Amino acid sequence: MAALPEIREAEATGGIAEIYAGLRAAIGIPLVNLIYRHLATRPGVLPWVWGAIRGCASAPALEAGRARMVEAVRAQGLGARLAAALALDDPGREVRALVEAYNRGNAMNLLLLTTLRRHLAGEAGGGPVAAVAVPARQGPAPAPLPPIPRLDALPPAVAAEVRALAALHGAEAGGVVPSLYLHLALWPAVLPPLRAALALLFADGTVARARDAACAVAEVTAAELLPALGRPPAPFPEAHRAATLAVLETFTRQIIPAMVPIGVALHEALPRAT
């Protein structure tokens, strides 16, 4: 299971670093999600993507869609099922903050990237992007998170647990290792019970049903967001269209829609200190 090529946040420079800062501010989380770090490896793609989606970043439909998505996946009962199967002591405030950051990012990005995928596939977008910066969201800045460890730098037993979690997503996920699992490797005691609990929920179809519920909300919200898409000043780099659409298909139909309910359920299932 090879890691998806990416430009990590600590390695980003120039225009890519500026886009990463814009994404963090617009989405309201202290990290840049894997899909954007991967698209940054394709010349011209991430600047085009940011130019297209930044017009949606403050759209009321985005926050409304995120709230609907969380309710839709909660209705599948994944949180109670995970709590019943997850034998885990309180992992601490840092783990809960990590899960909350990924939950916001995954839901927001599923909505934004579903909209983008449909636009790249031929649906009409909106008008030119306004020549102003996207304002940061109101409220205190999110607390910084520790850097995501590299899979090949983890102790072998911990790396094996991360790979086993990623393998639960099946061949449809293309061997991608979701960043949440890698980040949780900083607290390795969390991984074995989480893998055992999720294995049951993947096997009986609970995750698939919750994933489909997240996708359904994303498709409805994408139709509302399409008019807010911007037209970047430069055309899309056509040499990368097919590959970009393929990775967006994987992330918006398989990986992120599964991670949304897993993250929401994990938030509900994590024990709190008494």
Side-chain angles (χ1 to χ4, degrees):
M1 184 175 289
L4 197 68
E6 62 176 290
I7 296 179
R8 295 166 65 89
E9 292 181 70
E11 300 164 351
T13 59
I16 297 299
E18 291 177 7
I19 293 172
Y20 282 3
L23 285 163
R24 287 190 294 265
I27 296 172
I29 59 173
L31 76 156
V32 175
N33 292 83
L34 174 58
I35 178 63
Y36 300 112
R37 304 195 313 266
H38 170 65
L39 292 177
T41 67
R42 301 180 180 277
V45 171
L46 187 63
W48 189 94
V49 166
W50 175 231
I53 66 172
R54 67 177 179 171
C56 298
S58 57
L62 186 61
E63 284 289 354
R66 183 178 72 89
R68 289 199 306 269
M69 182 179 295
V70 170
E71 289 307 309
V73 300
R74 278 180 176 155
Q76 305 302 311
L78 190 61
R81 295 282 312 282
L82 186 63
L86 188 63
L88 189 67
D89 294 331
D90 175 30
R93 183 181 302 172
E94 284 186 306
V95 172
R96 291 194 292 274
L98 180 77
V99 171
E100 288 170 8
Y102 273 92
N103 285 354
R104 179 174 178 83
N106 282 330
M108 299 282 273
N109 285 315
L110 179 54
L111 298 172
L112 289 169
L113 295 170
T114 299
T115 307
L116 185 70
R117 187 202 74 226
R118 288 172 59 164
H119 178 51
L120 277 177
E123 293 190 48
V129 175
V132 294
V134 174
R137 295 186 179 275
Q138 298 300 312
L145 299 173
I148 303 172
R150 294 180 181 274
L151 183 62
D152 58 8
L154 294 173
V158 177
E161 287 291 346
V162 172
R163 291 189 178 96
L165 276 161
L168 293 174
H169 292 255
E172 297 88 352
V176 172
V177 178
S179 293
L180 176 59
Y181 299 152
L182 262 176
H183 231 147
L184 286 173
L186 297 174
W187 298 270
V190 172
L191 300 179
L194 179 61
R195 174 182 50 78
L198 286 180
L200 298 173
L201 302 180
F202 271 97
D204 69 7
T206 303
V207 173
R209 289 189 293 273
R211 179 198 64 205
D212 292 346
C215 281
V217 174
E219 294 293 343
V220 171
T221 306
E224 300 171 356
L225 290 173
L226 271 167
L229 279 179
R231 293 196 185 100
F236 187 85
E238 289 299 325
H240 297 285
R241 182 179 292 270
T244 300
L245 273 171
V247 78
L248 285 173
E249 284 281 337
T250 299
F251 272 80
T252 62
R253 297 193 191 275
Q254 296 293 335
I255 297 171
I256 306 178
M259 295 309 297
V260 167
I262 288 171
V264 170
L266 187 55
H267 172 77
E268 296 176 352
L270 284 175
R272 289 344 192 231
T274 56

